[in-house]
Amino acid sequence: MRRMISFDCGGDQLVGSLDVADRGTGLMIVSGGNEIRSGAHASQASIAQHFAALGHPVFRYDRRGIGESEGVNNGFETSADDITAAVTAFRAQAPSIKKLVAFGNCDAATALAFFHAGIAIDALILANPWVIEAAQNDEAATPPTAAAIRARYLARLKNPRSLIDLLTGKIDFKKLAGGLAKVAQKEAPSGLAARLAQALAATTLPVHILIADRDTTALSFMGAYKDRLFDPVRNRVNVHISTVNSASHSFADTTSRDWLIANIHKVLDQI
């Protein structure tokens, strides 16, 4: 059974959807970007239905200024109170919950890393974390980072078809050389990446980072993850990173979707 819930966040009424079940481990899904709680192509609603059918309560919500929720949308960096209010509402409406796993994709993953401390969350699933500085957190309008461009160049050069195109003149060699020289330059991690590294190094919760390895956002994160500022994170036994061969940011293809579901299963079963 799925029911709609409204709850308070700083005087604004937020709206969420609870898929009712009675097992002791619940899943809270935090939407990324400006997506409503159903997710791209209703993917988050589908995930909720899947896990509720297995007995896990699942909660999704629209943060302030998004979808059916009141208030002003000031982006993911101001969503700490929304996350806290959602956790409180979820636990109140699903009293069977003993452990709560929070899942977020893109800037929702970054928000969870930033704001989970001191909230009744027991594990984090962070998919394709957002580390790209953008004035309005608009991924579609933000140019890819050098790390993302570099990965795309390398993938293209590994493709035998690209060699044929280069030899037959379909690829401009001067432009290719110029592009390679540009992306070969060392790029300093963004301020968001530095803050994300600090947050992940400080947490004691189990953290599972899920990466679609050809997604632009994920490529930018992986570029930053290789920097020495993430050394303390890579050495933490509570932080795990897994990748799937996909360019789908929202894990929309069948293979990556099945992989995502399987990884959420693992966390819910192990926590």
Side-chain angles (χ1 to χ4, degrees), residues 126-127 129 200 207-211 221 225 233 239-243:
L126 311 179
L200 293 176
V207 178
H208 299 264
I209 302 173
L210 305 182
I211 296 296
F221 168 77
Y225 192 74
V233 179
V239 178
H240 310 274
I241 188 164
S242 303
T243 63

Side-chain angles (χ1 to χ4, degrees), residues 243-264:
T243 63
V244 63
N245 180 18
S246 176
S248 178
H249 183 63
S250 58
F251 306 94
D253 60 280
T254 301
T255 298
S256 64
R257 176 178 168 76
D258 290 346
W259 177 84
L260 173 65
I261 293 288
N263 276 275
I264 296 175

Side-chain angles (χ1 to χ4, degrees), residues 161-184:
R161 182 67 205 176
S162 296
L163 179 60
I164 295 173
D165 289 345
L166 183 63
L167 293 174
T168 56
K170 291 182 180 180
I171 294 177
D172 188 312
F173 182 78
K174 288 184 178 180
K175 287 184 178 180
L176 175 62
L180 288 172
K182 182 177 180 180
V183 300

Side-chain angles (χ1 to χ4, degrees), residues 1 6 10 21-22 54 64 85-86 88 93 104 126 143 170 187 218 254:
M1 181 177 67
S6 63
D22 57 8
L54 297 174
R64 282 173 291 183
T88 301
Q93 294 292 328
L126 311 179
K170 291 182 180 180
E187 181 182 41
T254 301

